[in-house]
Amino acid sequence: MTTDTKAKIDIRRFDGLGHADHGWLNARHHFSFANYYDPARMGWGAIRVWNDDEIASNTGFPPHGHQDMEIITYVRDGAITHQDSLGNKGRTEAGDVQVMSAGSGVRHSEYNLEGETTRIFQIWIEPKRLGGAPSWGAKPFPRGERAGRFVVLASGYADDGDALPIRADARVMAATVLAGDTVAHSVAPGRHAYLVPARGAVMIDGERINARDGVAIAGGQTIAFTAIEDAELVLVDSE
């Protein structure tokens, strides 16, 4: 753990994350998940899971169930094909996002039907209330439209009208930042933010954050991210 003296952050290096290699799936876990357990990393605010998954071509997750969780999939490379017990089916490509509100319960599968490895961030956020009818949705978010600023991809707030809806007091955001440029994000007191560069590297108060490192950010501060090289940033701000 590295704690910056200027900003209240906890840097979680990629090489120190939980790791599971199943052959078809090579996964890194930012928080405790499945056989990886660390009592100091059970989540961050309402963020319960952040998995960095590499899924081999023509493999994937067979049908399985979820309940009472908001599940956001951010596709970094390749594409993922979703099918669920509600009758939904869709293919989400690199840079785009899908969300599933598990609600009272849903079964789904996620397959990489592409001829290349698919790489995703799978993020689970605890809902603000349990139950409710499950739902699924996906949407393209062109990387060019996030140039130099954070764009809200999924949100539990009605005023984020273009974002995919989730049932959590949280926002999932992304930005693309050219080398030398800076973007900033203010985390309100009492809230929690977690940042992972999907690619590239940034500096935070003199600390280098590489691709796929995680940064837990405490509330009550504004953090500036300066790109050392062209970077794609994914950030969740939650209760």
Side-chain angles (χ1 to χ4, degrees):
M1 182 179 76
T2 303
T3 302
D4 193 282
T5 57
K6 299 177 184 177
K8 296 176 182 178
I9 63 174
D10 177 9
I11 302 171
R12 303 175 180 185
R13 300 297 182 188
F14 176 75
D15 289 344
L17 301 178
H19 186 212
D21 190 346
H22 302 286
W24 65 273
L25 171 66
N26 188 17
R28 297 275 180 170
H29 309 307
H30 286 259
F31 304 106
S32 294
F33 185 83
N35 293 329
Y36 167 61
Y37 174 73
D38 182 343
R41 295 188 177 180
M42 296 304 296
W44 182 241
I47 307 165
R48 179 60 189 84
V49 169
W50 192 309
N51 288 346
D52 180 325
D53 292 340
E54 296 182 341
I55 306 167
S57 175
N58 294 307
T59 66
F61 300 92
H64 59 283
H66 291 285
Q67 186 174 351
D68 292 325
M69 193 65 69
E70 303 300 294
I71 300 174
I72 299 96
T73 303
Y74 182 92
V75 183
R76 293 152 43 214
D77 297 293
I80 199 79
T81 297
H82 166 98
Q83 191 165 359
D84 63 40
S85 54
L86 305 174
N88 297 307
K89 186 173 183 179
R91 178 178 176 275
T92 306
E93 299 180 347
D96 299 341
V97 178
Q98 68 172 15
V99 300
M100 186 174 72
S101 294
S104 58
V106 63
R107 289 181 61 80
H108 76 133
S109 62
E110 305 288 339
Y111 285 107
N112 172 17
L113 303 180
E114 314 304 311
E116 60 181 334
T117 299
T118 286
R119 296 175 177 87
I120 65 173
F121 289 147
Q122 188 176 104
I123 302 162
W124 295 12
I125 304 174
E126 296 175 352
K128 56 188 173 184
R129 58 183 178 275
L130 302 181
S135 64
W136 174 86
K139 189 172 181 179
F141 289 94
R143 288 181 169 118
E145 294 181 6
R146 321 174 208 154
R149 65 189 182 104
F150 279 106
V151 170
V152 181
L153 311 178
S155 173
Y157 304 102
D159 54 354
D160 293 323
D162 292 334
L164 287 162
I166 55 176
R167 302 168 189 172
D169 288 323
R171 290 182 174 95
V172 180
M173 296 174 277
T176 55
V177 193
L178 296 177
D181 289 348
T182 299
V183 294
H185 179 71
S186 295
V187 188
R191 291 183 66 84
H192 306 76
Y194 200 80
L195 172 95
V196 183
R199 51 177 49 84
V202 296
M203 295 289 288
I204 303 177
D205 286 344
E207 290 278 2
R208 181 185 176 107
I209 311 300
N210 295 311
R212 303 162 79 184
D213 288 345
V215 185
I217 304 168
Q221 57 186 331
T222 297
I223 301 293
F225 311 99
T226 299
I228 304 167
E229 53 196 56
D230 291 356
E232 179 180 349
L233 309 180
V234 182
L235 183 145
V236 176
D237 185 315
S238 77
E239 279 197 327

